[in-house]
Amino acid sequence: MRNLESEEHRETRGFGIDKLNFYTPNQYVDLVELARARCVDPDKYLIGIGQERMAVAPVDQDIVSMGANAAEPLLDDVTRASLGLLVLGTESGIDQSKAAALFVHQLLALPEGMRVMEIKEACYGATAGLMVALDFVRSHPDRRALVIASDIARYGLDTPGEVTQGAGAVAMIVSADPTVLAIEPGTVVASRSTYDFWRPNYSTVAFAQGKYSEEVYLAMFRDAWNRASQMGLTCPEGLAAQLFHIPFSKMGRKGLRTLQGMMTDDDYGRLANRFEDSIRYGRQVGNIYTGSLYLGLISLLENDSSLRPGDRMGLFSYGSGSEAELFFGKLCSGFQSELNSAGHRAMLEGRTKLCVEEYERVFNAGLVQDGSRQVLERSDFDAPHYLTGLDRHQRLYR
Ligand code: CAA
């Protein structure tokens, strides 16, 4: 076991992401088929939006079970015992009072003597959790933190946002002496109250002013990048990659394009090539809201074999409403050993394709709301955690 209290390691590697993993449900819709059903040219979805498939969450996979499924493979006994904090970021909360993180805490058999909470700020929630976790491990370098991003993106059938739905969770262990990505303390943050995307308490689907949301995203990225340049935090020749929050891949591409002309063609070409690897998984999964930036990080690391320890990257987190943060990290030596490329590809390739009618049925399937007992069928036998049903307004998991 590594000695987390080693001053030597802390000086050389800092604080950051030690391990990370993602989970997405085992069924999807093909967007060419969805385009045909909606009488839309498939190229609009494939090129104009930049997505190929969209994960569909069955009724027994909610943000709790997906989050626990993403985190389970990261936890051995030593890691479990060292955890002092669990933060779950989500826009798709299941309870107005009790934190979804507490259900996850129980499912993962985590120690009682730790802080457990849920954070909400649309797609920025997990980044807020990551920043809290970094502060936690800086002040408790002998402990670790677990950050989970888990969401089900729902806009409604036959709406402009439908093609940008998805479902999934990312889990990250944050520590001193990380193995994957050491995160630098210098970041650029911005907050503005906007109505670009929101979901009132009474609604199971999100509302968006789509074009306006794109404008706010791009304006906040541009401002963050300019401020980071002025502060000396970013210099293109030193950046191996720039990652984006990816609600759909075209959005990140538009963000990237704002950098064209602000750097040499070589530097832009490098960022553009790496961007393609960062969207590979997201194009198959869809928007997972607060986990999307970190799904992009996993996708890049698992699809680009040219990355090396010491490579520095920018990460742009955007949560509608709106909160933005641009931060930076350096790959650690040994980061390759923490990746699970084969497992993740098998998970994506092993999914079942739903026809549009089946997807609509799953979309409309609901949980009882009157306190009666409901027993759910298990949909994914490879996933250790799932919702078994409800009874007396309580969710029951296994
Ligand atoms: N071939 C190729 N491209 C085509 C095409 C075809 N046959 N037909 C249309 N297109 C292109 C359009 O030219 C357009 O491209 P540009 O964006 O480059 O102009 C693109 O496809 C989209 O088409 P529309 O302009 O007709 O847009 P739409 O009405 O279908 O809505 C959307 C698109 C606004 C993204 C909508 O899906 C939406 O509201 N999504 C939800 C909101 C969202 O994700 N916003 C992102 C920023 S907010 C955020 O990031 C937080 C979050 O996670 C929600």
Side-chain angles (χ1 to χ4, degrees):
M1 173 191 154
R2 283 175 298 145
N3 177 7
L4 292 177
E5 290 184 81
S6 154
E7 286 297 331
E8 188 194 337
H9 274 132
R10 229 179 300 154
E11 275 165 24
T12 51
R13 302 230 252 193
F15 303 87
I17 300 170
D18 196 38
K19 305 174 186 191
L20 76 175
N21 185 45
F22 83 94
Y23 170 80
T24 188
N26 66 349
Q27 47 190 33
Y28 72 92
V29 174
D30 183 288
L31 294 184
V32 171
E33 291 182 15
L34 184 65
R36 295 208 172 106
R38 301 292 179 246
C39 304
V40 167
D41 178 353
D43 279 351
K44 173 172 175 180
Y45 290 179
L46 297 175
I47 301 165
I49 297 291
Q51 295 296 115
E52 290 167 49
R53 292 176 176 182
M54 179 173 98
V56 179
V59 75
D60 71 321
Q61 283 297 336
D62 65 5
I63 57 155
V64 167
S65 58
M66 290 194 304
N69 287 327
E72 184 72 63
L74 305 180
L75 296 168
D76 53 29
D77 289 347
V78 172
T79 306
R80 267 192 177 84
S82 69
L83 286 175
L85 174 71
L86 163 57
V87 191
L88 187 149
T90 187
E91 178 275 357
S92 335
I94 53 160
D95 193 290
Q96 295 282 27
S97 173
K98 180 173 173 179
L102 281 163
F103 295 94
V104 174
H105 177 262
Q106 185 188 28
L107 285 177
L108 297 176
L110 300 183
E112 192 170 305
M114 60 187 289
R115 293 184 187 132
V116 175
M117 69 188 83
E118 178 175 321
I119 290 189
K120 174 181 69 182
E121 188 355 69
C123 306
Y124 175 76
T127 300
L130 177 61
M131 295 302 155
V132 169
L134 287 166
D135 286 345
F136 174 80
V137 295
R138 281 187 195 110
S139 55
H140 304 83
D142 55 332
R143 310 292 299 271
R144 292 179 174 94
L146 172 59
V147 177
I148 295 177
S150 191
D151 268 312
I152 300 174
R154 286 169 61 91
Y155 292 91
L157 303 178
D158 208 3
T159 61
E162 180 181 34
V163 62
T164 68
Q165 298 177 139
V170 174
M172 301 178 268
I173 300 287
V174 177
S175 71
D177 189 19
T179 308
V180 176
L181 190 72
I183 294 175
E184 299 171 8
T187 80
V188 174
V189 197
S191 308
R192 286 179 204 170
S193 180
T194 62
Y195 254 126
D196 63 325
F197 163 101
W198 67 104
R199 185 165 70 81
N201 286 343
Y202 52 77
S203 178
T204 59
V205 293
F207 299 106
Q209 301 199 62
K211 292 293 164 193
Y212 174 56
S213 71
E214 295 189 42
E215 283 166 26
V216 182
Y217 175 115
L218 292 175
M220 290 185 89
F221 173 63
R222 222 172 17 244
D223 291 354
W225 179 273
N226 290 338
R227 275 175 53 209
S229 303
Q230 287 157 10
M231 291 160 68
L233 293 178
T234 175
C235 90
E237 58 273 26
L239 270 196
Q242 174 60 49
L243 294 167
F244 292 86
H245 163 57
I246 305 282
F248 51 98
S249 75
K250 179 72 159 294
M251 189 71 250
R253 196 178 293 288
K254 287 181 183 180
L256 182 73
R257 281 185 192 147
T258 64
L259 302 179
Q260 209 164 12
M262 295 169 70
M263 55 185 68
T264 65
D265 289 349
D266 278 358
D267 288 337
Y268 185 77
R270 182 180 60 254
L271 298 190
N273 284 336
R274 294 233 158 92
F275 175 79
E276 298 304 327
D277 286 325
S278 77
I279 60 174
R280 282 187 207 287
Y281 289 169
R283 279 173 65 92
Q284 306 295 320
V285 170
N287 194 358
I288 58 167
Y289 288 156
T290 191
S292 298
L293 170 63
Y294 304 96
L295 181 61
L297 171 62
I298 297 173
S299 180
L300 175 66
L301 299 184
E302 294 188 350
N303 287 291
D304 186 328
S305 56
S306 68
L307 285 165
R308 295 285 171 264
D311 280 347
R312 185 171 187 261
M313 56 187 70
L315 296 94
F316 176 65
S317 180
Y318 175 76
S320 288
S322 293
E323 191 74 14
E325 184 151 3
L326 178 59
F327 59 103
F328 299 89
K330 258 190 196 161
L331 287 174
C332 304
S333 58
F335 75 91
Q336 295 96 334
S337 65
E338 295 301 333
L339 305 178
N340 180 17
S341 320
H344 289 148
R345 287 200 192 111
M347 179 170 66
L348 291 174
E349 283 159 20
R351 296 179 297 171
T352 303
K353 185 171 84 165
L354 302 182
C355 68
V356 174
E357 291 73 25
E358 287 167 324
Y359 143 68
E360 291 180 345
R361 242 192 329 272
V362 175
F363 186 93
N364 287 324
L367 298 173
V368 295
Q369 297 189 356
D370 59 0
S372 60
R373 190 157 178 270
Q374 182 179 19
V375 177
L376 301 175
E377 263 180 48
R378 186 176 182 181
S379 62
D380 184 351
F381 286 88
D382 293 329
H385 303 290
Y386 54 99
L387 183 67
T388 58
L390 278 92
D391 196 11
R392 286 164 294 156
H393 298 290
Q394 296 179 15
R395 286 182 185 238
L396 308 170
Y397 293 95
R398 189 164 300 150

